[in-house]
């Protein structure tokens, strides 16, 4: 009874927050027509823009924007945390698309003072991605393409949820083995683990990318370990860690998998990221 | 002689300032300014160059004053813990995402943090009606360690995206400077600078020791209080403008001493100019060298400043003994 009440209150709060956030950010096209010159301040944004077919209009990206291949050749405007104002202004963008997940807040104010339109992508969770893409489509006056992309992702997520390759197994996703950094609550990775029916042991930490205790990892003894192979010698680095984790169930049962960076960015490639996880889990069975 | 050298330094500073405006990631031709260049020049580069100069001036001058007040050549404005207080508040502001005053929130928080720390350190260093240099120093160091620890604690526990931004701020980052920062920065730094210049003679006496300064007609207690206030104003305002830029406060006064001698009347203005010029050049390099990626100015000041300092150290005797 109490649980139900708590859930209702939590649900109500979430709905209220959504309503409020929508009030604060009126949804309307920012320019008349599709903007011709778009600057993207985050790799995830760049990937969404290209996937929605606006790649040709992207005139500036960050130094981290490496997907798709074509994005690498676009003019660079600096990093995510330290984009260069001068470089952005010089590109004369119709709109700058940024994210609350990595861009400095002051940057939006500075751009607005200089008379440059901005759109801020605020969604953080896997489940919010389709909605976020739709909103971005409205702001960029390209609803049709963005809606199609959003629907594609939505359908894929529904399909993954139905497949349920995991059945309450404990999972940990290692971002970096030394020091041990794992994906915690509130990340797309954690959401994906939940979607597949697993339990992310780091969810309880309350931090998005906690530096995790090896002792706790051994105590929890997860059934599955994913290791992001973002880096070339990740296997060498991880082997040392895995030797220390010999007693962990996932290591004993050889359910340790190296996966790509699809889920690192809240963009269209989350689908590939989850598909890769499903494939690896199925193979091991 | 001192006048001529100071005038030369002013001219050099002006040249650097103008150069920093027109060269950058993309040079702008001063004789032929096109539409977008004008905007970049006026809204982005000019405030940034001015803030870098102001900040460098504050740090250089407060370093020169502090080394005299504490009679310690290793004193650095940051040793009083003001910067740790500023960093703590600024990082809290960045990570928690407070924006009650727009882009001005973080500098304001940093300024409040630095000033509060200054008052606290002052209170700890105060005994029997005056400041005790050693107590000031130890209070600053102790408080600095405490604040750094709390800062690290906050940064370890938070994985928010503010983290990278916070790290950049700690290294000294001028990329977000805005015209809004200039009036308040100018007021506090100039106030501190004028205050310390007006007491330059007294500072000369203080360096000779309390007894001698008494006999020269200066009350060491009173002078130390006034000078401490001027340091507090300059350091707090500087740190709040763009984070913790190292090196300038500690070593620019020594470089100044090589050039103009130990007389505070010349050393304070020269340290201010030297600090301003160095930070301006450092920021110019930081924003141009691997553009559009920007390097925090604090890293560059040390990379270009330290070798020059070591070279001077070999050539001359640093402590003048």
């Amino acid at each position: 009874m109490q649980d139900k009440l708590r859930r209702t209150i939590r649900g109500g709060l979430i709905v209220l927050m959504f309503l409020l956030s929508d009030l604060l950010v009126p949804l309307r096209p920012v320019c008349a027509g599709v903007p011709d010159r778009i600057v993207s301040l985050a790799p995830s944004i760049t990937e969404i823009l290209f996937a929605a077919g606006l790649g040709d209009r992207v005139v500036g990206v960050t130094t981290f924007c490496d997907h798709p291949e074509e994005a690498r050749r676009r003019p660079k405007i600096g990093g995510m945390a330290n984009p260069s104002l001068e470089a952005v202004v010089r590109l004369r963008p119709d709109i700058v698309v940024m994210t609350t997940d990595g861009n400095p807040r002051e940057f939006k104010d500075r751009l607005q003072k200089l008379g440059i339109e901005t759109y801020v992508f605020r969604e953080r969770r896997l489940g919010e991605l389709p909605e976020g893409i739709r909103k971005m489509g409205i702001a960029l006056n390209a609803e049709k393409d963005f809606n199609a992309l959003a629907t594609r992702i939505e359908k894929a997520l529904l399909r993954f949820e139905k497949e349920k390759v995991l059945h309450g197994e404990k999972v940990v996703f290692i971002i970096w083995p030394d020091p041990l950094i794992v994906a915690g609550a509130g990340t797309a990775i954690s959401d994906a683990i939940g979607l597949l029916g697993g339990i992310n042991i780091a969810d309880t930490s309350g931090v998005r990318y906690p530096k995790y205790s090896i002792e706790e990892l051994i105590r929890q003894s997860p059934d599955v370990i994913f290791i992001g192979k973002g880096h070339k010698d990740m296997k060498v680095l991880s082997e040392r860690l895995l030797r220390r984790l010999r007693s962990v169930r996932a290591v004993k049962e050889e359910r340790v998998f190296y996966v790509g960076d699809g889920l690192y960015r809240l963009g269209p490639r989350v689908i590939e990221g989850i598909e890769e996880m499903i494939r690896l889990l199925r193979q091991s069975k | 002689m001192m006048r001529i050298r100071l005038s030369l330094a002013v001219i050099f500073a002006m040249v650097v300032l103008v150069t920093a405006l027109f060269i950058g990631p993309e040079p702008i031709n001063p004789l032929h300014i096109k539409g977008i260049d004008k905007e970049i020049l006026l809204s982005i580069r000019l405030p940034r160059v001015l803030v870098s100069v102001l900040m460098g001036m504050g740090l250089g001058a407060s370093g020169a004053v502090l080394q005299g007040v504490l009679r310690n050549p290793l004193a650095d404005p940051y040793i009083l813990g003001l910067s740790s207080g500023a960093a703590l508040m600024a990082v809290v502001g960045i990570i928690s995402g407070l924006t009650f005053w727009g882009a001005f929130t973080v500098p304001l928080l940093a300024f409040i943090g630095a000033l509060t720390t200054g008052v606290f350190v002052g209170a700890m260093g105060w005994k029997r009606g005056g400041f005790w240099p050693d107590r000031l120093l130890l209070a600053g160091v102790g408080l600095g360690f405490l604040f750094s620890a709390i800062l690290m604690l906050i940064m370890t526990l938070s994985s928010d995206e503010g983290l990278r931004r916070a790290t950049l701020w700690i290294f000294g980052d001028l990329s977000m400077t805005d015209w809004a920062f200039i009036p308040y920065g100018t007021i506090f730094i100039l106030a501190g600078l004028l205050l310390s210049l007006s007491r330059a003679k007294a500072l000369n006496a203080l360096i000779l020791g309390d007894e001698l300064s008494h006999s020269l007609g200066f009350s060491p207690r009173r002078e130390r209080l006034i000078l401490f206030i001027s340091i507090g104003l300059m350091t707090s305002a500087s740190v709040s403008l763009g984070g913790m830029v190292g090196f300038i406060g500690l070593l620019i006064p020594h470089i100044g001493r090589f050039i103009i001698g130990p007389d505070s009347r010349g050393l304070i203005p020269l340290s201010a100019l030297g600090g301003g010029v160095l930070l301006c050049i450092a920021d110019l390099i930081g924003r141009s060298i691997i553009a559009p990626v920007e390097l925090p100015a604090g890293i560059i000041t040390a990379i270009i400043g330290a070798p020059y300092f070591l070279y001077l150290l070999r050539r001359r005797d640093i402590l003048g003994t």
Side-chain angles (χ1 to χ4, degrees), chain A residues 218-260:
Chain A
I218 292 172
R219 198 173 296 135
Q220 291 271 353
S221 190
D223 306 286
V224 178
I225 295 179
F226 288 110
I227 302 178
K229 60 181 173 196
H231 202 261
K232 270 185 210 144
D233 52 359
M234 208 53 141
K235 282 201 174 162
V236 184
L237 271 173
S238 310
E239 238 124 67
R240 262 214 335 259
L241 173 74
L242 290 176
R243 269 203 297 279
R244 299 176 68 185
L245 299 180
R246 266 174 310 215
S247 65
V248 170
R249 204 169 299 139
V251 181
K252 277 198 284 195
E253 293 174 8
E254 295 186 353
R255 295 187 86 190
V256 179
F257 310 112
Y258 291 89
V259 292

Side-chain angles (χ1 to χ4, degrees), chain A residues 37-75:
Chain A
R37 302 179 65 79
I38 306 173
V39 168
S40 157
L41 291 193
S44 57
I45 302 286
T46 306
E47 289 186 29
I48 294 175
L49 286 168
F50 274 85
L54 291 192
D56 293 343
R57 295 163 190 260
V58 175
V59 293
V61 297
T62 70
T63 46
F64 298 104
C65 295
D66 50 3
H67 262 278
E69 194 54 38
E70 212 188 325
R72 289 173 192 258
R73 293 191 292 272
R74 296 296 147 91

Side-chain angles (χ1 to χ4, degrees), chain A residues 80-93:
Chain A
M80 265 178 95
N82 54 344
S84 159
L85 197 57
E86 196 175 315
V88 173
V89 171
R90 201 172 281 284
L91 290 169
R92 293 178 224 225

